[in-house]
Amino acid sequence: MNPKLKAVLESVLIATISTVLLIILAFLPILNIIIFVWPVPFIVIGVRRGLWAGVLSLVLAGLLLGIVIHPLLGIGMVILNIFLVLGLSWAITRKLDLFENIILSAGTVLFSIVSFIKVFSWATGKTVFDYVIDRIGAFISGNINYFSRFMDIYNQFSEQSVTAEEFANQVIGQLELFIPFVPALLIIFSLLYGTVNLVVSRTVLKKLAYKISDLPAFSDWVLPKGAGLGFLVILFIAFAGSLLKLKNFEIVFYTLQSLFSFVFAVQGLSVATFFMKIKMGRLPGVVRNIILALLFVLIPVVFMSVGIIEQIFDIRKIYRRIKM
């Protein structure tokens, strides 16, 4: 069979299967987290058959979603994933190192999200945040009887009585407090989404016997030298700008502060994984990972502190020297 024809048929097959799975998983509350790795099949075929095959498969899946569910959903899924599929397919083929892979994957996801937000604003005439606020207001207005009964119960336990409309305005006011943190949340989501799809795609390719370069174990992961100092310098500049009330510098400071905390918390988690392997090696890996995940959620500040200490003193390297 002609290789290009075979690639086209594979793209069609993967697009169809991915669409069906996405629709099924949407109705399974426990398993719908798998949607997080929906781009993986398109990345895999992009690596094995060429970038065009990965894009073709994704676009076909978007068309099927648009026909079966809603055109905007199909368009949205294509916009949110097309640059990730292109970027990771190219990066894996070119055998880039871990840091380059993570930066490229996160960057493509962030670019896709920003593109989606721009397209959404152009299509609806509203920002995403304004649209969400309008939908909350419309939902409450359309269910005023239900919310009136809910507010009667709420007011029994509240010192000050409020109406359903006043309660909705309070909720919207609380949401507005998160606006300065939206850029940071988008960056962190991009890092997570891109890295997860990178790791899963590489795992699938290895299972398919595709030769790819090895990446260091997570327990050995470390930020490049100078990254900590660079973060601190940029964070100080952003903080100074916010104190001087310069335009948008407050949002920049919150964004960098959140990113700083997240990145060093992940490095702290890497250090904890390293020592847990050594000290608790007899525990099954799944159990160790669950323990670490719970601790990471409960005490992220501790992991961030460990990550900063690692960046300054390189404690894993010191430990290896002592043991040698």
Side-chain angles (χ1 to χ4, degrees), residues 148-308:
S148 295
R149 291 194 294 271
F150 171 77
M151 293 314 303
D152 290 338
I153 299 172
Y154 175 82
N155 288 328
Q156 292 177 6
F157 300 94
S158 176
E159 296 179 357
Q160 184 178 0
S161 298
V162 294
T163 64
E165 289 80 3
E166 290 172 338
F167 181 77
N169 290 332
Q170 289 179 7
V171 172
I172 292 170
Q174 292 298 315
L175 289 174
E176 290 175 343
L177 295 176
F178 284 94
I179 292 178
F181 297 97
V182 169
L185 293 174
L186 290 180
I187 293 172
I188 291 171
F189 173 79
S190 300
L191 282 166
L192 289 172
Y193 189 72
T195 302
V196 167
N197 279 280
L198 166 66
V199 172
V200 176
S201 297
R202 288 175 56 84
T203 302
V204 172
L205 286 164
K206 282 186 176 181
K207 295 292 184 182
L208 295 173
Y210 185 88
K211 292 183 179 180
I212 54 178
S213 58
D214 292 327
L215 296 180
F218 178 69
S219 58
D220 294 324
W221 184 78
V222 63
L223 283 168
K225 291 299 180 183
L229 180 60
F231 261 122
L232 287 173
V233 170
I234 297 172
L235 192 63
F236 175 78
I237 293 172
F239 178 67
S242 66
L243 288 178
L244 295 171
K245 305 296 183 182
L246 297 179
K247 186 178 180 181
N248 295 328
F249 261 76
E250 185 177 3
I251 294 178
V252 172
F253 173 69
Y254 284 137
T255 302
L256 291 172
Q257 183 184 45
S258 301
L259 184 60
F260 177 92
S261 301
F262 175 75
V263 169
F264 282 101
V266 171
Q267 179 156 283
L269 180 61
S270 171
V271 175
T273 304
F274 173 82
F275 285 105
M276 186 168 271
K277 273 185 177 181
I278 295 172
K279 302 299 182 181
M280 305 175 68
R282 293 184 179 180
L283 276 179
V286 174
V287 176
R288 293 200 306 267
N289 291 336
I290 291 174
I291 293 172
L292 286 169
L294 289 173
L295 291 174
F296 186 79
V297 172
L298 294 173
I299 48 174
V301 175
V302 174
F303 285 91
M304 182 189 71
S305 301
V306 172
I308 294 172

Side-chain angles (χ1 to χ4, degrees), residues 59-79 116 119-120 123:
V59 171
L60 289 174
L63 287 173
L64 289 173
L65 285 172
I67 293 170
V68 175
I69 301 179
H70 194 282
L72 283 179
L73 176 63
I75 294 170
M77 293 302 285
V78 172
I79 293 175
F116 174 78
V119 171
F120 183 90

